Amino acid sequence: MTLPQTADAVVIGGGIIGTSIAFQLARMGAGKVVLVERKHLAAGATGLSCGLVRQYAGHALDARLIARSIETLQHFDDTVGGDCGWMRTGLLYLVAPAGLESMVANITMLKELGLKVSLVTPDEIRRLAPYLEVDEPMYGAYDPAAGYADPYSTTMGLADGARRYGSQVLQDTEVTGIRVEYGCVTGVHTSRGEIATPTVVNAAGPWGGVVAAMAGVATDMVPELHQVGTVEVPPEVAWPHLSVIDTLRYTYFRPETGRLTLI
């Protein structure tokens, strides 16, 4: 695809966030939108993501965004187009007793927003997830609407939707610099040439700090490595099981196709 000389907005990063932003901007009529990805779509953290989507959150804005996201994923073919691989599993978010007060406050806030998230005791955790070892004091937030989507399929669907609304999606195109004049962005330098634009959206994920530095913006971003693997689900455990985020052990897991657990 030919590199455009100008754009009303350039989105840097072809993961699920970048493609979603390009889709929404194009659908809202934001002009000529160009998404730039240095490798291929979903090549970074998105393609390796577990794809968990949960309403339990500590901030009202996050909770509202996630609730809207779940609604979109449930009706993805109608709102975006294609199949995002959405599966509702329900989710348990586990904390030690020291985190109970904060969890109660969060759940109160979520209920005020109309979200169905409830506090569960150790006995209720055992009932909801009998395959968990609840051998120490803990509490949980139970989110029955939570689940996961396939990150790659969702990204491809958003990119196709962005194209339908007129966006250009450029792959194998690395951003090498951002031109700033008198404190304003005026262009993006890429491995294929320059695009003049007044607006740049940084959706580069773990490389977001590098991209921000190109525009003279300092961040304290530090990428963090997560190890992810799969294990077979024992035959006595019903599948799909609940998704679980366990802050006591710094782990999370969810069911995966083929009676597997991704952890």
Side-chain angles (χ1 to χ4, degrees):
M1 183 177 292
T2 304
L3 186 83
Q5 293 184 335
T6 63
D8 293 296
V10 172
V11 180
I12 302 174
I16 195 166
I17 299 298
T19 52
S20 179
I21 291 169
F23 169 74
Q24 297 292 354
L25 286 175
R27 186 170 68 163
M28 293 166 61
K32 187 176 181 181
V33 179
V34 178
L35 184 145
V36 181
E37 163 57 43
R38 69 189 181 109
K39 291 184 178 179
H40 55 82
L41 297 179
T46 289
L48 301 172
S49 170
C50 293
L52 281 177
V53 186
R54 57 182 169 88
Q55 295 179 126
Y56 179 74
H59 194 286
L61 177 59
D62 288 341
R64 287 196 292 265
L65 285 170
I66 296 166
R68 287 288 299 275
S69 296
I70 289 176
E71 182 180 344
T72 297
L73 293 168
Q74 288 175 332
H75 306 284
F76 195 78
D77 192 34
D78 296 328
T79 57
V80 179
D83 183 3
C84 68
W86 171 253
M87 176 176 281
R88 177 178 171 179
T89 64
L91 180 138
L92 276 172
Y93 189 101
L94 305 178
V95 299
L100 177 59
E101 183 178 352
S102 176
M103 175 169 278
V104 170
N106 289 342
I107 290 174
T108 300
M109 175 267 294
L110 296 172
K111 287 184 175 180
E112 290 173 353
L113 294 175
L115 304 181
K116 295 180 179 179
V117 179
S118 57
L119 179 70
V120 290
T121 64
D123 286 342
E124 290 169 318
I125 292 171
R126 293 186 184 95
R127 178 179 58 80
L128 287 167
Y131 37 83
L132 294 180
E133 285 192 9
V134 186
D135 53 3
E136 58 187 296
M138 66 178 69
Y139 294 89
Y142 175 52
D143 179 358
Y148 69 89
D150 177 70
Y152 181 82
S153 299
T154 307
T155 301
M156 295 303 115
L158 289 164
D160 287 343
R163 292 187 185 100
R164 285 197 303 274
Y165 283 103
S167 289
Q168 283 186 265
V169 177
L170 305 177
Q171 301 182 72
D172 297 314
T173 306
E174 183 176 2
V175 171
T176 57
I178 297 175
R179 178 156 49 87
V180 179
E181 298 177 357
Y182 303 106
C184 298
V185 169
T186 58
V188 172
H189 301 285
T190 81
S191 55
R192 295 172 54 193
E194 184 173 326
I195 306 172
T197 182
T199 304
V200 172
V201 182
N202 181 356
W207 296 272
V210 176
V211 171
M214 294 177 184
V217 178
T219 68
D220 57 359
M221 288 182 60
V222 179
E224 186 178 88
L225 177 65
H226 287 200
Q227 298 284 359
V228 179
T230 54
V231 296
E232 293 184 359
V233 177
E236 64 271 18
V237 175
W239 191 96
H241 54 69
L242 285 172
S243 298
V244 176
I245 297 177
D246 183 352
T247 66
L248 287 78
R249 300 170 184 82
Y250 301 101
T251 63
Y252 56 91
F253 59 87
R254 66 159 174 82
E256 178 60 285
T257 303
R259 282 193 61 84
L260 298 174
T261 293
L262 191 152
I263 181 169

PDB file of all heavy atoms in Angstrom, residues 136-171:
ATOM      1  N   GLU A 136      -6.135 -20.774  52.813  1.00  0.00           N
ATOM      2  CA  GLU A 136      -5.721 -19.614  53.598  1.00  0.00           C
ATOM      3  C   GLU A 136      -6.833 -18.570  53.493  1.00  0.00           C
ATOM      4  O   GLU A 136      -7.642 -18.603  52.567  1.00  0.00           O
ATOM      5  CB  GLU A 136      -4.402 -19.055  53.073  1.00  0.00           C
ATOM      6  CG  GLU A 136      -4.433 -18.634  51.602  1.00  0.00           C
ATOM      7  CD  GLU A 136      -3.061 -18.253  51.093  1.00  0.00           C
ATOM      8  OE1 GLU A 136      -2.508 -17.274  51.602  1.00  0.00           O
ATOM      9  OE2 GLU A 136      -2.556 -18.946  50.179  1.00  0.00           O
ATOM     10  N   PRO A 137      -6.886 -17.630  54.427  1.00  0.00           N
ATOM     11  CA  PRO A 137      -7.952 -16.614  54.383  1.00  0.00           C
ATOM     12  C   PRO A 137      -7.889 -15.800  53.089  1.00  0.00           C
ATOM     13  O   PRO A 137      -6.818 -15.335  52.689  1.00  0.00           O
ATOM     14  CB  PRO A 137      -7.652 -15.740  55.599  1.00  0.00           C
ATOM     15  CG  PRO A 137      -6.854 -16.603  56.507  1.00  0.00           C
ATOM     16  CD  PRO A 137      -6.023 -17.475  55.608  1.00  0.00           C
ATOM     17  N   MET A 138      -9.020 -15.658  52.435  1.00  0.00           N
ATOM     18  CA  MET A 138      -9.097 -14.857  51.221  1.00  0.00           C
ATOM     19  C   MET A 138     -10.546 -14.475  50.964  1.00  0.00           C
ATOM     20  O   MET A 138     -11.477 -15.107  51.481  1.00  0.00           O
ATOM     21  CB  MET A 138      -8.528 -15.612  50.010  1.00  0.00           C
ATOM     22  CG  MET A 138      -9.329 -16.833  49.600  1.00  0.00           C
ATOM     23  SD  MET A 138      -8.641 -17.659  48.128  1.00  0.00           S
ATOM     24  CE  MET A 138      -7.118 -18.322  48.789  1.00  0.00           C
ATOM     25  N   TYR A 139     -10.711 -13.435  50.166  1.00  0.00           N
ATOM     26  CA  TYR A 139     -12.035 -12.993  49.732  1.00  0.00           C
ATOM     27  C   TYR A 139     -11.994 -12.787  48.229  1.00  0.00           C
ATOM     28  O   TYR A 139     -10.922 -12.679  47.624  1.00  0.00           O
ATOM     29  CB  TYR A 139     -12.443 -11.702  50.457  1.00  0.00           C
ATOM     30  CG  TYR A 139     -12.632 -11.901  51.938  1.00  0.00           C
ATOM     31  CD1 TYR A 139     -11.562 -11.751  52.816  1.00  0.00           C
ATOM     32  CD2 TYR A 139     -13.872 -12.263  52.444  1.00  0.00           C
ATOM     33  CE1 TYR A 139     -11.727 -11.955  54.175  1.00  0.00           C
ATOM     34  CE2 TYR A 139     -14.053 -12.462  53.813  1.00  0.00           C
ATOM     35  CZ  TYR A 139     -12.972 -12.314  54.659  1.00  0.00           C
ATOM     36  OH  TYR A 139     -13.146 -12.533  56.004  1.00  0.00           O
ATOM     37  N   GLY A 140     -13.176 -12.726  47.639  1.00  0.00           N
ATOM     38  CA  GLY A 140     -13.213 -12.596  46.192  1.00  0.00           C
ATOM     39  C   GLY A 140     -14.313 -11.665  45.716  1.00  0.00           C
ATOM     40  O   GLY A 140     -15.327 -11.462  46.396  1.00  0.00           O
ATOM     41  N   ALA A 141     -14.078 -11.083  44.548  1.00  0.00           N
ATOM     42  CA  ALA A 141     -15.125 -10.366  43.817  1.00  0.00           C
ATOM     43  C   ALA A 141     -15.566 -11.289  42.692  1.00  0.00           C
ATOM     44  O   ALA A 141     -14.732 -11.731  41.888  1.00  0.00           O
ATOM     45  CB  ALA A 141     -14.594  -9.054  43.265  1.00  0.00           C
ATOM     46  N   TYR A 142     -16.857 -11.592  42.663  1.00  0.00           N
ATOM     47  CA  TYR A 142     -17.387 -12.482  41.624  1.00  0.00           C
ATOM     48  C   TYR A 142     -18.057 -11.645  40.542  1.00  0.00           C
ATOM     49  O   TYR A 142     -18.984 -10.884  40.811  1.00  0.00           O
ATOM     50  CB  TYR A 142     -18.379 -13.470  42.232  1.00  0.00           C
ATOM     51  CG  TYR A 142     -19.059 -14.342  41.203  1.00  0.00           C
ATOM     52  CD1 TYR A 142     -18.320 -15.062  40.267  1.00  0.00           C
ATOM     53  CD2 TYR A 142     -20.446 -14.444  41.162  1.00  0.00           C
ATOM     54  CE1 TYR A 142     -18.938 -15.869  39.327  1.00  0.00           C
ATOM     55  CE2 TYR A 142     -21.081 -15.245  40.227  1.00  0.00           C
ATOM     56  CZ  TYR A 142     -20.322 -15.949  39.312  1.00  0.00           C
ATOM     57  OH  TYR A 142     -20.938 -16.729  38.368  1.00  0.00           O
ATOM     58  N   ASP A 143     -17.564 -11.789  39.329  1.00  0.00           N
ATOM     59  CA  ASP A 143     -18.042 -11.011  38.181  1.00  0.00           C
ATOM     60  C   ASP A 143     -18.613 -11.990  37.156  1.00  0.00           C
ATOM     61  O   ASP A 143     -17.871 -12.553  36.341  1.00  0.00           O
ATOM     62  CB  ASP A 143     -16.870 -10.222  37.586  1.00  0.00           C
ATOM     63  CG  ASP A 143     -17.254  -9.396  36.374  1.00  0.00           C
ATOM     64  OD1 ASP A 143     -18.431  -9.458  35.956  1.00  0.00           O
ATOM     65  OD2 ASP A 143     -16.378  -8.691  35.840  1.00  0.00           O
ATOM     66  N   PRO A 144     -19.930 -12.243  37.180  1.00  0.00           N
ATOM     67  CA  PRO A 144     -20.510 -13.261  36.291  1.00  0.00           C
ATOM     68  C   PRO A 144     -20.483 -12.888  34.811  1.00  0.00           C
ATOM     69  O   PRO A 144     -20.590 -13.767  33.953  1.00  0.00           O
ATOM     70  CB  PRO A 144     -21.948 -13.390  36.798  1.00  0.00           C
ATOM     71  CG  PRO A 144     -22.242 -12.072  37.441  1.00  0.00           C
ATOM     72  CD  PRO A 144     -20.948 -11.623  38.040  1.00  0.00           C
ATOM     73  N   ALA A 145     -20.346 -11.595  34.484  1.00  0.00           N
ATOM     74  CA  ALA A 145     -20.369 -11.173  33.076  1.00  0.00           C
ATOM     75  C   ALA A 145     -19.008 -11.263  32.406  1.00  0.00           C
ATOM     76  O   ALA A 145     -18.902 -11.109  31.192  1.00  0.00           O
ATOM     77  CB  ALA A 145     -20.889  -9.741  32.980  1.00  0.00           C
ATOM     78  N   ALA A 146     -17.959 -11.503  33.175  1.00  0.00           N
ATOM     79  CA  ALA A 146     -16.600 -11.488  32.632  1.00  0.00           C
ATOM     80  C   ALA A 146     -16.359 -12.663  31.697  1.00  0.00           C
ATOM     81  O   ALA A 146     -17.079 -13.665  31.704  1.00  0.00           O
ATOM     82  CB  ALA A 146     -15.585 -11.503  33.774  1.00  0.00           C
ATOM     83  N   GLY A 147     -15.328 -12.527  30.899  1.00  0.00           N
ATOM     84  CA  GLY A 147     -14.959 -13.595  29.980  1.00  0.00           C
ATOM     85  C   GLY A 147     -13.693 -13.226  29.245  1.00  0.00           C
ATOM     86  O   GLY A 147     -12.858 -12.481  29.746  1.00  0.00           O
ATOM     87  N   TYR A 148     -13.569 -13.752  28.036  1.00  0.00           N
ATOM     88  CA  TYR A 148     -12.389 -13.415  27.235  1.00  0.00           C
ATOM     89  C   TYR A 148     -12.753 -13.416  25.763  1.00  0.00           C
ATOM     90  O   TYR A 148     -13.739 -14.029  25.331  1.00  0.00           O
ATOM     91  CB  TYR A 148     -11.229 -14.374  27.511  1.00  0.00           C
ATOM     92  CG  TYR A 148     -11.450 -15.794  27.019  1.00  0.00           C
ATOM     93  CD1 TYR A 148     -11.093 -16.189  25.726  1.00  0.00           C
ATOM     94  CD2 TYR A 148     -12.002 -16.764  27.854  1.00  0.00           C
ATOM     95  CE1 TYR A 148     -11.287 -17.479  25.279  1.00  0.00           C
ATOM     96  CE2 TYR A 148     -12.199 -18.067  27.418  1.00  0.00           C
ATOM     97  CZ  TYR A 148     -11.831 -18.415  26.132  1.00  0.00           C
ATOM     98  OH  TYR A 148     -12.035 -19.706  25.685  1.00  0.00           O
ATOM     99  N   ALA A 149     -11.967 -12.696  25.011  1.00  0.00           N
ATOM    100  CA  ALA A 149     -12.082 -12.687  23.556  1.00  0.00           C
ATOM    101  C   ALA A 149     -10.760 -13.136  22.968  1.00  0.00           C
ATOM    102  O   ALA A 149      -9.716 -13.080  23.634  1.00  0.00           O
ATOM    103  CB  ALA A 149     -12.433 -11.289  23.055  1.00  0.00           C
ATOM    104  N   ASP A 150     -10.792 -13.598  21.738  1.00  0.00           N
ATOM    105  CA  ASP A 150      -9.552 -13.967  21.059  1.00  0.00           C
ATOM    106  C   ASP A 150      -8.876 -12.684  20.586  1.00  0.00           C
ATOM    107  O   ASP A 150      -9.427 -11.966  19.739  1.00  0.00           O
ATOM    108  CB  ASP A 150      -9.844 -14.873  19.865  1.00  0.00           C
ATOM    109  CG  ASP A 150      -8.588 -15.205  19.097  1.00  0.00           C
ATOM    110  OD1 ASP A 150      -7.765 -15.958  19.636  1.00  0.00           O
ATOM    111  OD2 ASP A 150      -8.401 -14.680  17.981  1.00  0.00           O
ATOM    112  N   PRO A 151      -7.703 -12.361  21.122  1.00  0.00           N
ATOM    113  CA  PRO A 151      -7.082 -11.063  20.803  1.00  0.00           C
ATOM    114  C   PRO A 151      -6.784 -10.884  19.312  1.00  0.00           C
ATOM    115  O   PRO A 151      -6.982  -9.792  18.770  1.00  0.00           O
ATOM    116  CB  PRO A 151      -5.796 -11.066  21.634  1.00  0.00           C
ATOM    117  CG  PRO A 151      -6.055 -12.047  22.735  1.00  0.00           C
ATOM    118  CD  PRO A 151      -6.920 -13.099  22.114  1.00  0.00           C
ATOM    119  N   TYR A 152      -6.313 -11.942  18.667  1.00  0.00           N
ATOM    120  CA  TYR A 152      -5.958 -11.820  17.251  1.00  0.00           C
ATOM    121  C   TYR A 152      -7.204 -11.583  16.399  1.00  0.00           C
ATOM    122  O   TYR A 152      -7.230 -10.656  15.576  1.00  0.00           O
ATOM    123  CB  TYR A 152      -5.229 -13.084  16.783  1.00  0.00           C
ATOM    124  CG  TYR A 152      -4.796 -13.029  15.343  1.00  0.00           C
ATOM    125  CD1 TYR A 152      -3.620 -12.372  14.972  1.00  0.00           C
ATOM    126  CD2 TYR A 152      -5.560 -13.616  14.339  1.00  0.00           C
ATOM    127  CE1 TYR A 152      -3.216 -12.311  13.648  1.00  0.00           C
ATOM    128  CE2 TYR A 152      -5.173 -13.552  13.016  1.00  0.00           C
ATOM    129  CZ  TYR A 152      -4.008 -12.902  12.672  1.00  0.00           C
ATOM    130  OH  TYR A 152      -3.621 -12.832  11.357  1.00  0.00           O
ATOM    131  N   SER A 153      -8.247 -12.392  16.605  1.00  0.00           N
ATOM    132  CA  SER A 153      -9.466 -12.238  15.808  1.00  0.00           C
ATOM    133  C   SER A 153     -10.110 -10.881  16.036  1.00  0.00           C
ATOM    134  O   SER A 153     -10.607 -10.248  15.092  1.00  0.00           O
ATOM    135  CB  SER A 153     -10.462 -13.352  16.158  1.00  0.00           C
ATOM    136  OG  SER A 153      -9.938 -14.623  15.870  1.00  0.00           O
ATOM    137  N   THR A 154     -10.094 -10.411  17.292  1.00  0.00           N
ATOM    138  CA  THR A 154     -10.676  -9.113  17.597  1.00  0.00           C
ATOM    139  C   THR A 154      -9.913  -8.001  16.892  1.00  0.00           C
ATOM    140  O   THR A 154     -10.508  -7.068  16.329  1.00  0.00           O
ATOM    141  CB  THR A 154     -10.676  -8.866  19.118  1.00  0.00           C
ATOM    142  OG1 THR A 154     -11.300  -9.975  19.772  1.00  0.00           O
ATOM    143  CG2 THR A 154     -11.439  -7.596  19.464  1.00  0.00           C
ATOM    144  N   THR A 155      -8.595  -8.089  16.919  1.00  0.00           N
ATOM    145  CA  THR A 155      -7.762  -7.084  16.246  1.00  0.00           C
ATOM    146  C   THR A 155      -8.015  -7.070  14.746  1.00  0.00           C
ATOM    147  O   THR A 155      -8.138  -5.998  14.132  1.00  0.00           O
ATOM    148  CB  THR A 155      -6.272  -7.360  16.523  1.00  0.00           C
ATOM    149  OG1 THR A 155      -6.045  -7.318  17.937  1.00  0.00           O
ATOM    150  CG2 THR A 155      -5.380  -6.327  15.849  1.00  0.00           C
ATOM    151  N   MET A 156      -8.087  -8.248  14.140  1.00  0.00           N
ATOM    152  CA  MET A 156      -8.343  -8.311  12.694  1.00  0.00           C
ATOM    153  C   MET A 156      -9.714  -7.721  12.354  1.00  0.00           C
ATOM    154  O   MET A 156      -9.867  -7.009  11.361  1.00  0.00           O
ATOM    155  CB  MET A 156      -8.282  -9.770  12.207  1.00  0.00           C
ATOM    156  CG  MET A 156      -6.922 -10.427  12.325  1.00  0.00           C
ATOM    157  SD  MET A 156      -5.606  -9.548  11.457  1.00  0.00           S
ATOM    158  CE  MET A 156      -4.598  -9.064  12.854  1.00  0.00           C
ATOM    159  N   GLY A 157     -10.707  -8.009  13.194  1.00  0.00           N
ATOM    160  CA  GLY A 157     -12.041  -7.466  12.952  1.00  0.00           C
ATOM    161  C   GLY A 157     -12.062  -5.945  13.048  1.00  0.00           C
ATOM    162  O   GLY A 157     -12.682  -5.265  12.225  1.00  0.00           O
ATOM    163  N   LEU A 158     -11.366  -5.396  14.035  1.00  0.00           N
ATOM    164  CA  LEU A 158     -11.305  -3.937  14.188  1.00  0.00           C
ATOM    165  C   LEU A 158     -10.563  -3.294  13.026  1.00  0.00           C
ATOM    166  O   LEU A 158     -10.962  -2.228  12.528  1.00  0.00           O
ATOM    167  CB  LEU A 158     -10.636  -3.586  15.514  1.00  0.00           C
ATOM    168  CG  LEU A 158     -11.461  -3.878  16.770  1.00  0.00           C
ATOM    169  CD1 LEU A 158     -10.579  -3.861  18.009  1.00  0.00           C
ATOM    170  CD2 LEU A 158     -12.598  -2.872  16.911  1.00  0.00           C
ATOM    171  N   ALA A 159      -9.482  -3.930  12.580  1.00  0.00           N
ATOM    172  CA  ALA A 159      -8.726  -3.383  11.442  1.00  0.00           C
ATOM    173  C   ALA A 159      -9.569  -3.394  10.174  1.00  0.00           C
ATOM    174  O   ALA A 159      -9.581  -2.420   9.409  1.00  0.00           O
ATOM    175  CB  ALA A 159      -7.436  -4.184  11.235  1.00  0.00           C
ATOM    176  N   ASP A 160     -10.295  -4.493   9.950  1.00  0.00           N
ATOM    177  CA  ASP A 160     -11.166  -4.555   8.772  1.00  0.00           C
ATOM    178  C   ASP A 160     -12.272  -3.499   8.865  1.00  0.00           C
ATOM    179  O   ASP A 160     -12.636  -2.871   7.861  1.00  0.00           O
ATOM    180  CB  ASP A 160     -11.794  -5.943   8.655  1.00  0.00           C
ATOM    181  CG  ASP A 160     -10.785  -6.999   8.200  1.00  0.00           C
ATOM    182  OD1 ASP A 160      -9.714  -6.618   7.669  1.00  0.00           O
ATOM    183  OD2 ASP A 160     -11.056  -8.198   8.399  1.00  0.00           O
ATOM    184  N   GLY A 161     -12.804  -3.310  10.069  1.00  0.00           N
ATOM    185  CA  GLY A 161     -13.824  -2.283  10.255  1.00  0.00           C
ATOM    186  C   GLY A 161     -13.277  -0.892   9.988  1.00  0.00           C
ATOM    187  O   GLY A 161     -13.945  -0.055   9.362  1.00  0.00           O
ATOM    188  N   ALA A 162     -12.050  -0.633  10.447  1.00  0.00           N
ATOM    189  CA  ALA A 162     -11.425   0.664  10.184  1.00  0.00           C
ATOM    190  C   ALA A 162     -11.265   0.891   8.688  1.00  0.00           C
ATOM    191  O   ALA A 162     -11.519   1.993   8.174  1.00  0.00           O
ATOM    192  CB  ALA A 162     -10.068   0.735  10.883  1.00  0.00           C
ATOM    193  N   ARG A 163     -10.864  -0.142   7.970  1.00  0.00           N
ATOM    194  CA  ARG A 163     -10.698  -0.020   6.507  1.00  0.00           C
ATOM    195  C   ARG A 163     -12.033   0.289   5.839  1.00  0.00           C
ATOM    196  O   ARG A 163     -12.098   1.092   4.904  1.00  0.00           O
ATOM    197  CB  ARG A 163     -10.112  -1.317   5.940  1.00  0.00           C
ATOM    198  CG  ARG A 163      -8.666  -1.598   6.341  1.00  0.00           C
ATOM    199  CD  ARG A 163      -8.146  -2.812   5.588  1.00  0.00           C
ATOM    200  NE  ARG A 163      -6.807  -3.220   6.010  1.00  0.00           N
ATOM    201  CZ  ARG A 163      -6.560  -4.218   6.840  1.00  0.00           C
ATOM    202  NH1 ARG A 163      -7.573  -4.939   7.341  1.00  0.00           N
ATOM    203  NH2 ARG A 163      -5.319  -4.529   7.161  1.00  0.00           N
ATOM    204  N   ARG A 164     -13.102  -0.363   6.307  1.00  0.00           N
ATOM    205  CA  ARG A 164     -14.417  -0.122   5.698  1.00  0.00           C
ATOM    206  C   ARG A 164     -14.841   1.331   5.842  1.00  0.00           C
ATOM    207  O   ARG A 164     -15.553   1.864   4.986  1.00  0.00           O
ATOM    208  CB  ARG A 164     -15.472  -1.037   6.329  1.00  0.00           C
ATOM    209  CG  ARG A 164     -15.413  -2.476   5.884  1.00  0.00           C
ATOM    210  CD  ARG A 164     -16.702  -3.209   6.203  1.00  0.00           C
ATOM    211  NE  ARG A 164     -17.034  -3.147   7.619  1.00  0.00           N
ATOM    212  CZ  ARG A 164     -16.575  -3.979   8.539  1.00  0.00           C
ATOM    213  NH1 ARG A 164     -15.742  -4.954   8.184  1.00  0.00           N
ATOM    214  NH2 ARG A 164     -16.938  -3.862   9.799  1.00  0.00           N
ATOM    215  N   TYR A 165     -14.398   1.975   6.909  1.00  0.00           N
ATOM    216  CA  TYR A 165     -14.725   3.383   7.117  1.00  0.00           C
ATOM    217  C   TYR A 165     -13.679   4.318   6.523  1.00  0.00           C
ATOM    218  O   TYR A 165     -13.726   5.528   6.747  1.00  0.00           O
ATOM    219  CB  TYR A 165     -14.887   3.675   8.607  1.00  0.00           C
ATOM    220  CG  TYR A 165     -16.216   3.201   9.167  1.00  0.00           C
ATOM    221  CD1 TYR A 165     -16.293   2.044   9.928  1.00  0.00           C
ATOM    222  CD2 TYR A 165     -17.387   3.913   8.922  1.00  0.00           C
ATOM    223  CE1 TYR A 165     -17.513   1.612  10.447  1.00  0.00           C
ATOM    224  CE2 TYR A 165     -18.595   3.490   9.430  1.00  0.00           C
ATOM    225  CZ  TYR A 165     -18.660   2.330  10.194  1.00  0.00           C
ATOM    226  OH  TYR A 165     -19.870   1.905  10.696  1.00  0.00           O
ATOM    227  N   GLY A 166     -12.738   3.764   5.752  1.00  0.00           N
ATOM    228  CA  GLY A 166     -11.809   4.606   5.016  1.00  0.00           C
ATOM    229  C   GLY A 166     -10.409   4.734   5.588  1.00  0.00           C
ATOM    230  O   GLY A 166      -9.580   5.452   5.009  1.00  0.00           O
ATOM    231  N   SER A 167     -10.117   4.077   6.695  1.00  0.00           N
ATOM    232  CA  SER A 167      -8.768   4.147   7.256  1.00  0.00           C
ATOM    233  C   SER A 167      -7.785   3.345   6.400  1.00  0.00           C
ATOM    234  O   SER A 167      -8.154   2.354   5.772  1.00  0.00           O
ATOM    235  CB  SER A 167      -8.739   3.581   8.675  1.00  0.00           C
ATOM    236  OG  SER A 167      -9.383   4.427   9.576  1.00  0.00           O
ATOM    237  N   GLN A 168      -6.537   3.785   6.421  1.00  0.00           N
ATOM    238  CA  GLN A 168      -5.451   3.002   5.841  1.00  0.00           C
ATOM    239  C   GLN A 168      -4.717   2.299   6.959  1.00  0.00           C
ATOM    240  O   GLN A 168      -4.430   2.894   8.001  1.00  0.00           O
ATOM    241  CB  GLN A 168      -4.482   3.899   5.065  1.00  0.00           C
ATOM    242  CG  GLN A 168      -4.978   4.335   3.701  1.00  0.00           C
ATOM    243  CD  GLN A 168      -3.897   5.096   2.947  1.00  0.00           C
ATOM    244  OE1 GLN A 168      -3.863   6.322   2.987  1.00  0.00           O
ATOM    245  NE2 GLN A 168      -3.024   4.375   2.274  1.00  0.00           N
ATOM    246  N   VAL A 169      -4.397   1.025   6.742  1.00  0.00           N
ATOM    247  CA  VAL A 169      -3.656   0.233   7.721  1.00  0.00           C
ATOM    248  C   VAL A 169      -2.335  -0.180   7.067  1.00  0.00           C
ATOM    249  O   VAL A 169      -2.316  -0.970   6.132  1.00  0.00           O
ATOM    250  CB  VAL A 169      -4.453  -1.006   8.166  1.00  0.00           C
ATOM    251  CG1 VAL A 169      -3.624  -1.848   9.143  1.00  0.00           C
ATOM    252  CG2 VAL A 169      -5.775  -0.590   8.809  1.00  0.00           C
ATOM    253  N   LEU A 170      -1.237   0.399   7.550  1.00  0.00           N
ATOM    254  CA  LEU A 170       0.085   0.166   6.978  1.00  0.00           C
ATOM    255  C   LEU A 170       0.888  -0.760   7.879  1.00  0.00           C
ATOM    256  O   LEU A 170       1.189  -0.414   9.031  1.00  0.00           O
ATOM    257  CB  LEU A 170       0.835   1.485   6.805  1.00  0.00           C
ATOM    258  CG  LEU A 170       0.138   2.574   5.987  1.00  0.00           C
ATOM    259  CD1 LEU A 170       0.978   3.836   5.974  1.00  0.00           C
ATOM    260  CD2 LEU A 170      -0.137   2.094   4.564  1.00  0.00           C
ATOM    261  N   GLN A 171       1.222  -1.933   7.382  1.00  0.00           N
ATOM    262  CA  GLN A 171       2.045  -2.872   8.126  1.00  0.00           C
ATOM    263  C   GLN A 171       3.479  -2.834   7.590  1.00  0.00           C
ATOM    264  O   GLN A 171       3.751  -2.264   6.541  1.00  0.00           O
ATOM    265  CB  GLN A 171       1.460  -4.272   8.021  1.00  0.00           C
ATOM    266  CG  GLN A 171       0.021  -4.361   8.549  1.00  0.00           C
ATOM    267  CD  GLN A 171      -0.567  -5.751   8.496  1.00  0.00           C
ATOM    268  OE1 GLN A 171      -0.197  -6.629   9.258  1.00  0.00           O
ATOM    269  NE2 GLN A 171      -1.506  -5.944   7.576  1.00  0.00           N
TER     270      GLN A 171
END
